[in-house]
Amino acid sequence: MTTDPLDTYLAYGQRSLTPAPIGEAESAFAGAPADIHARIAARIEGLRPRLHAFAVDLYHHPELGFEEHRSVQKIAELLAEEGVDTEVGVFGLPTAFVAHAGSEVGDGPHFAVIAEYDALPGVGHACGHNVIAGVAIGAFLALRDVVAETGGRVSLIGTPAEEGGGGKELIIRAGGFDEVDAAGMVHPSVGHEVSPIYGSGTTGVRRIRVAYHGRAAHAAGTPYLGLNALDAVVTAYQGIAQLRQHILPIDRIHGVITNGGSAANVVPELTEAHILVRSSEIDTLKILTQRVVDILEAAALATGTRAEIDLDAEPAYLPLANNIALTKHWARHLTDRGRTVPLKPKVVRQGGPSTDMGNVSQYIPAIHPALGLGGDGTIVPHNAGFADISILPDALNALVDAATALGSAAADYLVDADLRQAVADEFVARGGRVRWED
C-alpha cells in the first residue's frame, strides 16, 4: 500500500494559513465567591510543609510506570491523615487510585484533579511528577474543604505510567472518566515559564516496533543463501530519514535500531527497531503513521525479509486540547499569585512532547497548563538536573501556586453554571468527545 497524504496535507495547509483566533485574557464568568478562593489558598499554604516533604520523598524514591506502589502508598497515607479514604487498584490497574469528596455521582457537576507519579529510568523524577502529585493532592484537599459550599463532586484520580504505558487511556477504557464533567492537572516547566492561555498543546504519539526476519548464512562462505535482516532495518531507517523532509512542520519521527544482529560473520536473521511518530493533529498523526508503516513494509519487500510490525503496543497518546474557557480561570488565579500568564505563545510551536492527558482532553473538557519550577532555564525536563530542581524552594513555591490556581479554577467550575456551559460549548465546538480508533 502507498499512502498519498495530499488531501490531508492540503487541508492542513489551509488551516495553517489562517492564524488561530486569539481572544481576551479575562473570563466573562464570575466563578466562585472570593471567600472560597481565600480558604483554598489558606488551606494549601497550611499544607506547604507536608507537600514539600512529600515531593522530596518521591524524589528520593522514584518508581517506573505501573510499578509506583510505594508512591501510591505515600499518597494514600497522606490523604488518610486528612481523613480521606483512597481506593487503590481501581480501573484494573494496581497503581491507579481514586478519592472522592462532595455529592454522589450524578448529583451536580463533577471535577477531577489528576495526579501523576511515575518516574523515568535512570533520571528519576526528571519530568517533575513528584511535583505534579503534590499539586494534585493540595488542590484536592483544599477543594474537599469547600465542596459543601460549591456543590457538586470533586475526585482525585491517580494515573500511572504517563511516561510510557498510557495509564489515562487505560482508565478511559475502563470507564474511569465516564461520570466526570471536567478535569485538570498542572505540569512542571522550565525556568519561570508559564504556558499561554491560547495555543498551548502537545503532540500525539504512536509507538511502532518492527522486527525483520531474514535467513542466516555464512557471511563469507555462502552469503547468497542469506536474507539480510540488517539490510532491511537499515533500509527502513534510511527511508524514514528521507521521509522527514516531506512531512508537516507539526510532525516528528524518531527512532533507534535496538538489535542489529549478533555476529559480523553471520548474515543477520533478526533485527529490530523502535520508532515514535508524533503529530499535533489526529488526522495527520494517522497519515504519518501509515507512511512510516509503508516504509517498513517496503524495506522487507526490497530485501526479501519479513516485517513483523507491532503498532500501538502501548496506547496512542492524542494531541492535547486545552479548554480555553477553563484555562482562563487557572490564569486568573495564577495571576493573583503574582505570576504572569502570557496570552499566546512567543513563537509558533512545531513538534513537541506528548502526554496521555491529551486523551483525557479529547474525552472530556480538560486543562493541562505548565508552570516553571525555577532555575535559569538551561535545565530541561528529562534531564537529571530537572529532578534536582524539583525539590528546591522555587519549585515548592510553584507547587503551592499551581495547586492554589488549579483548586480555585475547579471551584469556579463547580459554582458557576454559566462557566460550565461555556466549557461544554467549547468542547462541542472543537469536535466533542473523541476516542482513538485506528
Side-chain angles (χ1 to χ4, degrees):
M1 172 182 178
T2 300
T3 300
D4 187 346
L6 181 62
D7 291 341
T8 299
Y9 285 8
L10 281 173
Y12 169 81
Q14 292 300 315
R15 293 198 302 269
S16 65
L17 291 174
T18 305
I22 303 296
E24 299 295 326
E26 289 297 321
S27 172
F29 307 103
D35 68 301
I36 286 181
H37 297 306
R39 288 171 58 192
I40 288 173
R43 177 70 161 113
I44 295 172
E45 186 60 41
L47 289 167
R48 177 186 287 263
R50 298 176 66 194
L51 295 176
H52 185 211
F54 168 82
V56 171
D57 181 78
L58 260 62
Y59 163 84
H60 286 296
H61 301 91
E63 296 175 303
L64 301 182
F66 298 125
E67 299 175 8
E68 317 98 322
H69 299 284
R70 184 186 181 281
S71 301
V72 171
Q73 178 186 355
K74 290 298 178 181
I75 294 171
E77 288 174 358
L78 197 161
L79 294 174
E81 292 170 3
E82 296 292 328
V84 177
D85 293 328
T86 305
E87 298 176 64
V88 176
V90 292
F91 314 124
L93 302 173
T95 55
F97 71 86
V98 67
H100 303 292
S103 65
E104 296 298 318
V105 172
D107 185 13
H110 185 181
F111 190 95
V113 179
I114 308 301
E116 296 173 359
Y117 33 84
D118 61 315
L120 290 157
V123 290
H125 278 290
C127 210
H129 290 195
N130 54 329
V131 174
I132 291 175
V135 169
I137 293 167
F140 172 76
L141 289 175
L143 286 164
R144 175 176 174 264
D145 285 2
V146 301
V147 72
E149 287 90 344
T150 64
R153 180 177 178 85
V154 59
S155 296
L156 175 62
I157 300 180
T159 61
E162 187 278 336
E163 293 295 351
K168 294 181 189 63
E169 171 61 23
L170 297 177
I171 291 172
I172 289 172
R173 295 177 187 179
F177 288 96
D178 287 355
E179 304 297 336
V180 177
D181 299 307
M185 62 171 286
V186 182
H187 200 286
S189 186
V190 177
H192 297 278
E193 292 182 2
V194 181
S195 58
I197 295 173
Y198 294 87
S200 178
T202 66
T203 60
V205 63
R206 300 181 75 183
R207 300 163 181 86
I208 307 174
R209 296 186 182 274
V210 60
Y212 286 100
H213 299 272
R215 184 167 60 234
H218 196 295
T222 55
Y224 46 84
L225 297 180
L227 295 174
N228 197 315
L230 180 57
D231 284 347
V233 77
V234 169
T235 298
Y237 190 87
Q238 291 175 333
I240 291 169
Q242 293 168 9
L243 173 63
R244 285 194 178 104
Q245 66 178 311
H246 301 293
I247 63 177
L248 295 170
I250 59 171
D251 292 348
R252 294 290 186 271
I253 315 171
H254 34 251
V256 292
I257 296 173
T258 55
N259 176 13
S262 57
N265 62 345
V266 177
V267 175
E269 65 177 337
L270 175 65
T271 57
E272 297 167 295
H274 183 201
I275 302 151
L276 300 183
V277 177
R278 302 182 195 261
S279 190
S280 297
E281 304 283 347
I282 292 176
D283 57 349
T284 54
L285 180 62
K286 290 182 177 181
I287 285 287
L288 184 59
T289 301
Q290 188 57 54
R291 296 184 79 184
V292 170
V293 169
D294 289 348
I295 289 171
L296 300 181
E297 292 174 340
L301 181 63
T303 56
T305 59
R306 176 174 62 86
E308 180 184 357
I309 299 172
D310 188 0
L311 179 60
D312 294 335
E314 300 175 14
Y317 287 11
L318 302 186
L320 178 71
N322 272 308
N323 189 278
I324 302 302
L326 193 53
T327 299
K328 287 182 178 181
H329 283 257
W330 144 266
R332 171 191 293 177
H333 298 296
L334 194 63
T335 301
D336 290 343
R337 305 287 297 179
R339 307 267 184 172
T340 299
V341 183
L343 186 64
K344 60 182 181 179
K346 295 177 183 178
V347 296
V348 177
R349 184 177 62 84
Q350 297 183 356
S354 309
T355 173
D356 58 359
M357 190 63 182
N359 300 50
V360 177
S361 75
Q362 300 284 353
Y363 196 72
I364 58 173
I367 61 172
H368 182 271
L371 177 60
L373 299 186
D376 61 8
T378 61
I379 299 177
V380 297
H382 291 217
N383 177 294
F386 195 80
D388 298 336
I389 286 175
S390 75
I391 58 173
L392 297 181
D394 277 355
L396 175 60
N397 291 333
L399 188 162
V400 170
D401 288 351
T404 303
L406 179 61
S408 285
D412 288 341
Y413 179 85
L414 294 174
V415 166
D416 195 325
D418 291 334
L419 171 60
R420 293 197 299 274
Q421 188 61 54
V423 167
D425 289 346
E426 179 185 330
F427 183 73
V428 171
R430 198 210 69 232
R433 178 167 290 183
V434 176
R435 289 295 308 274
W436 177 257
E437 293 181 6
D438 188 26

